[in-house]
Amino acid sequence: ILPYFLGNRSPRADPELTGVAVGLTLDSSVENLAVTYLAVIQAICYGTRHIIQTLNNNGYCIETLVVCGGLSKNRVFVQEMADCCQLQIVLPEEDEAVLLGAAMLGAVASGKQKTVLEGMAHMSKDGALVSPRLEMCSFHSNKFEVFLRMYENWQEYKLIMAKGS
């Protein structure tokens, strides 16, 4: 699956991109729904891996992800993110980290904290760590390669179809 149903902001920066799903069947079983759900989660994670790869190829060195918000409460999503990106995930100790972030900004605005970084140091703590499963590394490397090629192939198909327009 290419999850570009609303375009892509990064790293392709193309709001006109469209999503792609390959391998769909008419199977309406719960098991097939679960496999499709997992494929969508993995596609989102490969999009993150693509962003990280692009940043790292341009001088950054991202080795850990800090994940917060609604999806951080989804254990399947968090483990798949760790596996797909082959990075350790740090979850915040605070379940409502987004609200805590707003409180940090309020603390800075009120003068209780001098900077956002100071507010973060005083008001937040790391929670659980989620490590990538090493036995999944080869699978996700291969599937990420398919993810990247799907985009290239999709672009070729659009060019073929544009010939007749």
Side-chain angles (χ1 to χ4, degrees):
I1 293 176
L2 283 180
Y4 304 147
F5 299 102
L6 296 171
N8 176 274
R9 289 182 283 175
S10 181
R12 301 200 187 281
D14 184 349
E16 302 301 319
L17 284 178
T18 57
V20 178
V22 176
L24 299 178
T25 70
L26 295 177
D27 182 352
S28 61
S29 68
V30 172
E31 293 81 12
N32 189 60
L33 178 61
V35 169
T36 303
Y37 175 76
L38 182 61
V40 170
I41 286 176
Q42 289 173 343
I44 293 166
C45 295
Y46 294 137
T48 300
R49 179 174 174 167
H50 191 199
I51 293 167
I52 293 166
Q53 181 182 67
T54 301
L55 289 169
N56 286 346
N57 289 343
N58 286 282
Y60 291 86
C61 184
I62 298 168
E63 298 174 338
T64 303
L65 294 178
V66 178
V67 178
C68 66
L71 280 175
S72 69
K73 295 171 180 64
N74 182 326
R75 291 177 190 247
V76 172
F77 174 80
V78 173
Q79 185 63 61
E80 288 301 316
M81 182 66 79
D83 292 346
C84 291
C85 294
Q86 286 297 298
L87 294 174
Q88 183 167 292
I89 305 286
V90 178
L91 297 170
E93 183 179 72
E94 171 58 49
D95 284 340
E96 297 300 334
V98 176
L99 295 176
L100 180 59
M104 290 175 194
L105 294 175
V108 172
S110 71
K112 293 281 186 189
Q113 301 292 334
K114 291 181 183 175
T115 66
V116 173
L117 289 176
E118 186 179 292
M120 290 169 60
H122 287 96
M123 299 172 72
S124 67
K125 292 183 175 73
D126 291 347
L129 301 177
V130 180
S131 297
R133 297 173 292 187
L134 297 179
E135 67 272 15
M136 299 302 294
C137 183
S138 178
F139 172 82
H140 286 296
S141 292
N142 292 339
K143 196 166 180 183
F144 181 63
E145 183 179 341
V146 170
F147 176 84
L148 296 174
R149 285 190 187 180
M150 281 179 69
Y151 168 79
E152 294 166 7
N153 292 339
W154 184 234
Q155 296 311 298
E156 288 179 27
Y157 302 154
K158 291 192 315 191
L159 288 175
I160 292 168
M161 293 309 296
K163 289 180 187 177
S165 299

